[in-house]
Each structure stands twice: as C-alpha cells, then as structure tokens.
Amino acid sequence: AVISLTTLQLVVEGTHSGIAPGQMLSAWMGLLTNSKVEMIGAVLQSVAVVLDQTDEHYVTASHPHPTPFVTDQASTDAKMEVGHHTDHGLLPELGKREVVVHIKKRLLGAIGEAKRTNTISYLMKLALQPIEATRFPAVNLLRAIAAQPSGWGLQMLFAHQGASIDSNFYEYVIERLTEYCKEGKDHKFALIQAVAQNPSRGHLPDEVNQKIDVMVQQGAYYLPPMVELQTMEG
C-alpha cells in the first residue's frame, strides 16, 4: 500500500481538527518505552517502512492525476510552512517533496525525544546489542536512513564521529565483527549497500567511499584473514 502525504502529515504533525499536534506521533513513539523488545522492534520497523517509501511516491499519492515536477526557480525557492494550515493541493511538486523530507526527519527526531537521547545514538546502541528482536530492526532503520537519495540521511549518520564504535557510525559500518549470524550479516550488508548505492555518496570523503566499495566487493560474509583462521582452528 502507498502512503499519501496527507496521511503521513496527519500522523506526524496532527494537522486535522480534533487531533492535537503531535498526539498520534507521541502515542506511536511512546511504544518505544515498552519493556517488550518485540514491540520496540515493531516500532523501528514501521519507521523504516515510512522512510523506504520514496518522496516521489508520497507526492504522487496526493493526486489522482500526478503532474510533472515544478522546476521554476521561484517555486523551488519558496519556503513551505509545515503546519496546521498547509494545503497540499496548492503546493508545487518540489514543495511537497520538501514537506516529505521535513516530516521524515521529524519522525526520526521523535524516536530520540521518546528515549531522551539522540536518535542515531539510540539506534547504534541497539545495533550493537545481542538482542536480535531490536538489533535487526535498528540496523534496518539505519539502512533506510542511509538510503535517502538526497543525502540528508548519510549526512545525519556520518555526523556521528565519536571516539568509540557505539558513537562513530563509520567505525560501526566498517567493523565486520558486529554481526555473527547469517541474518545479522545480511542486515549489516544491506546497510553497507545502501551507502554504496546512494546517489549522493559523492559528498562523503574519498577514503570512506573507497572502503565501502571494497566491502561491497568482499560480500556479506567476508571475515578478516586472522579472524577466519581463528574460526577454522576453533
């Protein structure tokens, strides 16, 4: 099923009468405080579904008869206010795409607000824990963020440049030993591929792109030679 921009904004912004701004989003993200790891995983997976639908699909789902993107500079530069009075029927196509990106970012930000931490830090923490019910969905959501074609997701992820693997996205991505089962390795490799296939990856440093390319060529199940030798001897 294709989600429309109107539906997305209704859930995230609460733009219809009778619904307080942010009420539905707060209830949705409030499920992250649930003690059941399966519930937390389900919430993260649902956010990944929202991010995986392309901006263009949100825009075209708002019209019974989609029209070509508006490309004149005045429309492109127009500032679109996302709020209670936004009328999607009057927004140009490029303006609607800006609204979609804003709402996607707002949705991700709500995860951190619910957990009282930075969203990416929270996801990376889960991605390094042994609990598969939350680890796999966290890695999958990181993949969905990395896959955003305009590059804002990559910028958000690679801005995490801490001193340890749980606070440095690049160090986490290139570390092969964070996953030890086939399903986990598949999720991690999908994340690596999302970075490699992003059309905006040119903004990343050359050494990062080169390392990502090597990892893609090595495949999902590659192990460093020393680790592979130890595994065989064990």
Side-chain angles (χ1 to χ4, degrees), residues 176 179 181-189 220-221 223:
R176 288 283 189 174
E179 295 294 341
C181 67
K182 182 181 183 301
E183 186 176 359
K185 290 178 182 293
D186 288 340
H187 280 294
K188 182 70 174 287
F189 192 65
Y221 312 116
L223 286 176

Side-chain angles (χ1 to χ4, degrees), residues 3-5 53-63 66-67 69 92-98 100:
I3 308 169
S4 71
L5 176 55
Q53 182 169 300
T54 65
D55 301 347
E56 288 77 9
H57 273 92
Y58 282 109
V59 171
T60 56
S62 302
H63 296 284
T67 55
F69 286 156
E93 299 289 347
L94 287 180
K96 290 181 181 179
R97 293 172 71 183
E98 293 172 2
V100 172

